[in-house]
Amino acid sequence: MQRFLQLPAAVARTGARGASGADQEAASPVLTPEGGPPAWYQALQPEELRWLQAPEEDTAQEAPLEGPCPEPGQGQSQSQPLRHDDLKEMLDSNKDSLKLEAMKRIVAMIARGKNASDLFPAVVKNVACKNIEVKKLVYVYLVRYAEEQQDLALLSISTFQRGLKDPNQLIRASALRVLSSIRVPIIVPIMMLAIKEAASDMSPYVRKTAAHAIPKLYSLDSDQKDQLIEVIEKLLADKTTLVAGSVVMAFEEVCPERIDLIHKNYRKLCNLLIDVEEWGQVAISTRGSHNL
């Protein structure tokens, strides 16, 4: 118990212990330090973030290409930038290899801080692509721009709903993140149902994503508080370290006055604390100190 109370100071002095193993697969803090990465970036996972590791030399020169867009392997350097029209042409292609190449370049553009919002119509058409690698990158893009392109994102709601049933946990989680990024009150019932289903998902990564989506829905429609508290109560009972920190953060945003929900799981949270990611450790420790 003493270690539990002293952790925030230890974290401040030496840095919280990083997640490893299964935790590392889905470490996605909700709290963003001042001056840190944007929230959409924080929500992405290591497998998704690997596409954002764009080589620095790619940004050295960005002269537009002349003539038609060649296929990969036909004399074009892998690092040579493409015009947006060329990328749109590749995304409209029937070849998955061209779509994948285009999406890699688009996500790399986002990583370098370039504006790729005008590609949204061409990208969103590929959300139903059967190629799993293309689909992953499309969801990475949509997580970034869904809030800015609400109308177009709404046209793909049914596809996102199908994504919630996908066998791949990354696709299920990404579909939920995109849904929760669409700030339109008309889809609140769909978001609520998606969060409830994700909270019961067999993957702790998806359940963690459900916890992240709770504050987003609450900020959009506070009338959903009672239903969201039910989901929070369910997730607080989760025994995995991936979920623990995220659900406590959601608790602090939605119903910090419901101390009774924490009391039921207080000892379990203390036991899980050492293996929770750093931002989750801070959230749990702070709440634990308040309880005492």
Side-chain angles (χ1 to χ4, degrees):
M1 185 65 67
Q2 185 177 6
R3 180 189 64 186
F4 175 78
L5 294 176
Q6 293 177 342
L7 183 64
V11 170
R13 288 194 303 269
T14 63
R17 172 186 166 193
S20 60
D23 290 353
Q24 190 173 10
E25 180 189 33
S28 58
V30 168
L31 297 177
T32 303
E34 185 176 355
W40 71 267
Y41 185 95
Q42 292 277 357
L44 300 179
Q45 306 308 310
E47 181 168 336
E48 299 164 325
L49 288 172
R50 65 190 176 93
W51 299 115
L52 296 177
Q53 310 307 314
E56 289 298 325
E57 58 268 20
D58 288 0
T59 65
Q61 294 182 349
E62 294 210 359
L65 294 179
E66 298 294 338
C69 171
E71 294 187 15
Q74 293 187 353
Q76 180 176 323
S77 169
Q78 183 72 12
S79 63
Q80 190 173 9
L82 290 172
R83 297 173 300 184
H84 283 198
D85 287 344
D86 295 325
L87 292 170
K88 291 176 183 177
E89 184 179 340
M90 293 171 73
L91 290 170
D92 288 337
S93 169
N94 292 325
K95 296 183 178 181
D96 286 345
S97 59
L98 285 179
K99 292 182 178 182
L100 181 59
E101 178 70 14
M103 287 308 307
K104 287 180 181 179
R105 291 172 181 266
I106 291 170
V107 173
M109 287 170 55
I110 297 173
R112 299 196 297 265
K114 305 281 183 189
N115 183 8
S117 59
D118 63 316
L119 293 168
F120 195 95
V123 172
V124 77
K125 288 190 296 187
N126 290 285
V127 72
C129 181
K130 295 187 182 299
N131 183 290
I132 192 67
E133 293 301 317
V134 173
K135 181 176 286 191
K136 287 177 183 177
L137 292 177
V138 169
Y139 274 115
V140 169
Y141 176 92
L142 293 178
V143 167
R144 169 64 180 86
Y145 285 111
E147 189 167 347
E148 297 179 16
Q149 302 281 347
Q150 305 277 353
D151 294 340
L152 288 174
L154 282 172
L155 297 177
S156 300
I157 287 293
S158 60
T159 304
F160 302 145
Q161 289 179 287
R162 288 196 296 274
L164 295 170
K165 306 292 184 182
D166 196 277
N168 188 303
Q169 63 172 349
L170 286 174
I171 299 300
R172 296 198 303 275
S174 296
L176 179 58
R177 285 205 302 273
V178 175
L179 272 176
S180 61
S181 297
I182 302 175
R183 314 294 292 170
V184 178
I186 195 173
I187 68 165
V188 164
I190 296 175
M191 291 173 59
M192 189 71 250
L193 180 60
I195 290 174
K196 286 182 176 180
E197 291 181 350
S200 301
D201 196 279
M202 62 181 177
S203 167
Y205 171 27
V206 178
R207 299 197 300 273
K208 178 188 185 73
T209 305
H212 288 176
I214 289 173
K216 293 183 180 181
L217 178 53
Y218 180 68
S219 67
L220 180 62
D221 184 0
S222 59
D223 291 340
Q224 303 298 316
K225 181 174 181 176
D226 290 342
Q227 294 188 64
L228 291 175
I229 289 176
E230 293 178 7
V231 178
I232 289 173
E233 184 174 13
K234 179 182 181 67
L235 291 175
L236 280 172
D238 199 295
K239 297 181 180 180
T240 62
T241 55
L242 284 178
V243 179
S246 299
V247 69
V248 172
M249 294 177 190
F251 169 87
E252 292 289 352
E253 290 286 336
V254 178
C255 54
E257 74 282 356
R258 289 291 304 273
I259 304 301
D260 58 299
L261 300 180
I262 295 293
H263 283 173
K264 298 176 184 178
N265 303 281
Y266 187 73
R267 291 185 179 277
K268 181 200 68 178
L269 291 172
C270 289
N271 292 331
L272 293 177
L273 184 61
I274 191 64
D275 292 317
V276 173
E277 63 193 13
E278 53 266 35
W279 292 108
Q281 288 178 341
V282 172
I284 294 174
S285 301
T286 301
R287 170 47 56 181
S289 299
H290 289 168
N291 285 355
L292 297 178

